[in-house]
């Protein structure tokens, strides 16, 4: 009898519920099996409740906008929330903390939390997203038993802090860009004074090089000034009314000789009639000139550059903030080598170039597309870039147009 009861309890514990076997005696069932069954049912309910509580906690931590990570004594991330998975590209857990965030300050803070239970705060930059900066708060967490863990809460730094950083990066970049031609100039002057002093042929050659370096500096200063002027005007929207077609024709005409020299067929297609837009003529001129300059500089190998201008009653999604509204679309398309996709999001950053050496060699400043972006920002427009390797690139400027039609 007891054996039977034992088997029954074992079975019930395994399945979570016991079905009364027919052969179990009535009294035995009432006094032992039924209370055991009741206990098992309570246990199952308890399990469900704690699973629900755990899901609730997980949802709660997931709803947190800041990345939160739990690190165990083995310095492995054992838990993290949705914000952390996104910001730090955490795929599967557990993962060594080092693999997601390698930062000496953070390592020290985690050690302090694990070994001494101390709470510390450090600033960190995620390795795969160096443009972002987080303030990390690291504190101790109690695990089951003797184990101690560390909780990391990251808070993205304020825009103010980021702006400060961008400003100092910009000054450093600009100084570096100016110093490069300056260093060449200094070297050339020294050579002219020394070894090339009495060599008329060498003198001519060096003077030509010096002129080229000086011109590079001038372009750089001009672009920097343009950029700062456009940014200064950013708060004041343009007021002039502009007929885009004649302006585009005149800029394209200016580039015609250069295109011919480079063996590039420069085609212009304007879908008239077009509505007038409220825009700053000088800035739009600069915008087109920069796009054309790039198409001829980097895409000349394709032998053809297409410039198009048209009006859309409803701009598509690629028009960014202009999408869904009537817009003027101005595109410059080349059939050159194209741009690898990973560079596209960064092209409009100041001084960003796909191939630094090549841009320098052909006289680029790295500021052209930053100027284009800022002009469009002031006009509440948008720049869209499409490029395919080996097929070419298409840069489209979208400007909101006042009327639904011409
Ligand atoms: N049409 C294009 N085809 C290929 N690469 C381009 C094109 N336009 C721009 N780029 C890339 O984008 C970078 C940034 O352009 P830009 O800001 O105008 O600077 P710059 O022309 O002075 O180098 C260029 O250095 C080049 O690598
Ligand atoms: Mg350029």
């Amino acid at each position: 009898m007891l054996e039977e009861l034992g088997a029954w309890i074992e079975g019930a514990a395994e399945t979570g519920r016991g079905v009364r076997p027919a052969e179990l005696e009535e009294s035995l069932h009432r006094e032992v099996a039924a209370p055991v069954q009741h206990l098992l049912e309570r246990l199952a309910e308890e399990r469900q409740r704690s699973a629900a509580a755990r899901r609730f906690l997980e949802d709660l931590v997931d709803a947190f906008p800041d990345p939160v990570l739990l690190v165990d004594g083995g310095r492995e991330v054992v838990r993290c929330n949705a914000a952390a998975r996104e910001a730090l590209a955490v795929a599967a857990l557990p993962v060594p903390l080092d693999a997601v965030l390698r930062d000496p300050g953070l390592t020290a803070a985690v050690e302090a939390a694990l070994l001494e239970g101390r709470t510390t705060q450090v600033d960190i930059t995620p390795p795969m997203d160096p443009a972002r900066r987080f303030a990390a708060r690291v504190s101790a967490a109690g695990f089951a038993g003797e184990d101690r863990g560390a909780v990391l809460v990251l808070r993205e730094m304020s825009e103010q802090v980021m702006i400060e950083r961008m400003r100092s990066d910009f000054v450093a970049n600009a100084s570096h860009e100016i110093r490069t031609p300056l260093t060449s100039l200094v070297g050339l002057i020294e050579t002219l004074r020394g070894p090339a002093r009495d060599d008329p042929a060498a003198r001519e050659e060096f003077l030509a090089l010096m002129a080229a370096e000086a011109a590079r500096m001038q372009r750089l200063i001009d672009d920097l000034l343009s950029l700062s002027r456009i940014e200064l005007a950013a708060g004041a929207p343009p007021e002039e009314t502009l007929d885009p077609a004649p302006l585009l024709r005149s800029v394209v005409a200016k580039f015609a000789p250069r295109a011919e020299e480079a063996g590039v067929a420069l085609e212009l297609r304007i879908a008239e009639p077009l509505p007038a837009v409220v825009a700053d003529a000088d800035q739009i001129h600069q915008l087109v000139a920069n796009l054309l300059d790039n198409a001829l500089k980097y895409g000349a190998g394709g032998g053809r550059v297409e410039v198009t201008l048209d009006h859309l009653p409803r701009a598509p999604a690629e028009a960014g903030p202009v999408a869904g509204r009537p817009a003027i679309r101005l595109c410059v398309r080349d059939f050159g080598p194209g741009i690898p996709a990973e560079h596209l999001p960064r092209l409009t950053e100041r001084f960003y170039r796909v191939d630094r050496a090549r841009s320098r060699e052909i006289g680029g400043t790295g500021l052209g597309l930053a100027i284009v972006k800022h002009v469009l920002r002031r006009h509440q427009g948008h720049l869209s870039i499409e490029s395919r390797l080996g097929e070419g690139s298409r840069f489209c400027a979208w400007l909101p147009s006042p009327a639904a039609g011409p």
Side-chain angles (χ1 to χ4, degrees):
M1 199 56 92
L2 270 181
E3 258 169 42
E4 261 171 49
L5 184 66
W8 180 88
I9 289 176
E10 249 171 45
E14 243 167 51
T15 57
R17 68 198 148 87
V19 178
R20 179 188 168 186
E23 54 280 16
L24 215 58
E25 215 170 75
E26 181 57 36
S27 66
L28 204 56
H29 179 261
R30 198 175 53 243
E31 279 161 35
V32 183
V36 167
Q37 170 140 19
H38 182 63
L39 218 61
L40 286 170
E41 278 163 12
R42 291 267 308 274
L43 195 66
E45 271 171 33
E46 208 48 57
R47 273 210 195 105
Q48 253 173 12
R49 252 202 294 279
S50 83
R54 190 175 149 159
R55 264 201 307 280
F56 170 75
L57 270 181
E58 277 172 0
D59 286 351
L60 192 71
V61 180
D62 264 347
F64 236 63
D66 296 329
V68 178
L69 304 109
L70 184 60
V71 174
D72 70 2
R75 281 65 172 165
E76 288 205 319
V77 180
V78 285
R79 282 286 171 80
C80 71
N81 69 348
R85 279 193 291 277
E86 197 239 337
L88 307 173
V90 178
L93 294 178
V95 59
L97 178 62
D98 258 11
V100 267
L101 270 175
R102 185 190 290 273
D103 184 288
L106 186 72
T107 308
V110 169
E111 294 307 311
L114 288 174
L115 304 177
E116 302 159 42
R118 269 198 296 132
T119 299
T120 20
Q121 191 134 357
V122 282
D123 290 354
I124 49 169
T125 298
M128 63 292 203
D129 198 354
R132 293 169 89 179
R133 218 162 156 69
F134 290 95
R137 188 173 181 278
V138 185
S139 49
F143 273 9
E146 294 282 279
D147 276 355
R148 220 188 227 164
V151 179
L152 281 60
V153 182
L154 311 188
R155 165 152 300 170
E156 186 134 25
M157 288 220 196
S158 72
E159 210 165 326
Q160 192 56 41
V161 175
M162 295 287 286
I163 288 170
E164 280 302 318
R165 229 174 94 95
M166 273 169 61
R167 205 199 309 276
S168 60
D169 281 357
F170 174 66
V171 171
N173 279 332
S175 314
H176 176 77
E177 296 283 340
I178 294 171
R179 200 169 56 192
T180 311
L182 199 58
T183 308
S184 310
L185 271 177
V186 170
L188 288 164
I189 290 170
E190 243 147 52
T191 321
L192 265 183
R193 281 178 153 170
R197 194 184 195 103
D198 303 313
D199 181 345
R203 203 159 54 210
E204 278 315 304
E205 190 192 325
F206 286 125
L207 281 172
L209 288 173
M210 285 170 71
E213 294 298 341
R216 177 194 302 279
M217 279 177 74
Q218 188 150 31
R219 270 196 306 274
L220 197 63
I221 306 279
D222 285 348
D223 277 358
L224 282 171
L225 284 176
S226 290
L227 201 54
S228 107
R229 261 197 302 272
I230 297 162
E231 277 189 300
L232 273 179
E239 288 171 352
E240 296 171 50
T241 305
L242 173 76
D243 193 354
L247 180 132
L248 188 62
R249 280 196 196 95
S250 93
V251 188
V252 170
K254 278 190 194 146
F255 277 83
R258 215 180 108 186
E260 201 178 302
E261 202 177 307
V264 171
L266 184 55
E267 295 161 13
L268 173 63
R269 277 203 309 272
I270 301 181
E272 285 179 294
L274 291 164
V277 286
V278 178
D280 182 315
D282 283 344
Q283 292 186 358
I284 300 298
H285 185 297
Q286 241 178 328
L287 178 158
V288 180
N290 271 307
L291 293 182
L292 269 172
D293 179 61
N294 282 349
L296 290 174
K297 256 188 344 201
Y298 305 107
R304 191 169 119 219
V305 168
E306 243 177 45
V307 182
T308 56
L309 179 64
D310 59 0
H311 175 260
L312 282 88
R314 261 177 81 85
E318 66 176 297
V322 191
R325 289 156 54 199
I328 290 283
R329 172 175 60 181
L330 192 165
C331 300
V332 176
R333 179 171 184 197
D334 68 67
F335 299 83
I339 304 161
E342 67 269 24
H343 293 289
L344 295 181
R346 301 196 57 190
L347 282 191
T348 58
E349 283 175 25
R350 290 155 202 219
F351 301 119
Y352 190 88
R353 295 128 158 155
V354 175
D355 181 342
R356 201 169 204 92
R358 169 143 174 78
S359 160
R360 280 240 177 80
E361 183 191 300
I362 51 186
T365 60
L367 293 171
L369 291 176
I371 290 175
V372 169
K373 179 176 72 178
H374 279 89
V375 166
L376 285 168
R377 185 175 291 174
R378 177 168 178 238
H379 287 76
Q380 261 132 46
H382 183 70
L383 176 71
S384 64
I385 309 174
E386 245 177 37
S387 190
R388 244 180 248 270
L389 279 183
E391 291 178 24
S393 314
R394 190 173 80 139
F395 291 76
C396 291
W398 300 84
L399 287 170
S401 76

